């Protein structure tokens, strides 16, 4: 697992990442009530989860800027090899 910053173009739901071999469609999944009723387990594309969404669904990557939430995501065994995007000033704290 590593922590980094990348440039994501979320408006069109496509990602250009120099580490990826191709463009891919991505879903950015929030943790609010607005996602109620969505069948997250039916999404076959790349997923980026925000904050506590990991409690209900395992995503490909996560975004969290609250230290307590980053720690909670890391404690979830399913996320041990996942990328977490967080605050740049915390990089040294979480790097291993």
């Amino acid at each position: 697992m590593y922590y980094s910053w990348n440039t994501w173009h979320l408006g069109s739901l496509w990602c250009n990442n120099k580490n990826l071999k191709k463009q891919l469609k991505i879903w950015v999944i929030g943790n609010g009530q607005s996602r109620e009723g969505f069948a997250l387990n039916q999404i076959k594309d790349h997923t980026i989860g925000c904050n506590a969404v990991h409690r209900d669904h395992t995503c490909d990557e996560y975004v969290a800027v609250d230290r307590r939430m980053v720690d909670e995501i890391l404690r979830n065994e399913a996320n041990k090899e996942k990328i977490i995007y967080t605050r740049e000033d915390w990089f040294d704290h979480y790097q291993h």
Side-chain angles (χ1 to χ4, degrees):
M1 179 173 331
Y2 67 96
Y3 307 83
S4 65
W5 292 93
N6 267 330
T7 303
W8 293 90
H9 178 68
L10 301 179
S12 64
L13 296 180
W14 288 91
C15 167
N16 273 322
N17 180 317
K18 64 183 177 186
N19 298 321
L20 298 173
K21 303 292 184 211
K22 62 177 183 169
Q23 285 190 329
L24 66 142
K25 185 176 181 181
I26 62 172
W27 290 81
V28 178
I29 304 168
N31 190 48
Q33 292 177 337
S34 63
R35 71 178 173 89
E36 201 169 299
F38 282 83
L40 297 178
N41 59 343
Q42 293 183 6
I43 297 174
K44 303 299 180 209
D45 302 307
H46 194 83
T47 56
I48 300 174
C50 301
N51 297 313
V53 73
H54 77 94
R55 296 173 186 162
D56 303 321
H57 182 71
T58 301
C59 295
D60 298 301
E61 303 176 62
Y62 294 95
V63 175
V65 294
D66 177 88
R67 188 178 296 237
R68 184 175 46 92
M69 189 53 56
V70 173
D71 292 339
E72 182 180 319
I73 293 169
L74 288 171
R75 284 192 304 270
N76 184 329
E77 193 64 33
N79 298 322
K80 291 295 184 191
E81 300 299 320
K82 304 294 182 176
I83 295 172
I84 301 173
Y85 298 94
T86 192
R87 296 169 46 141
E88 186 175 22
D89 55 322
W90 293 351
F91 185 82
D92 290 336
H93 176 77
Y94 288 110
Q95 186 176 4
H96 63 283

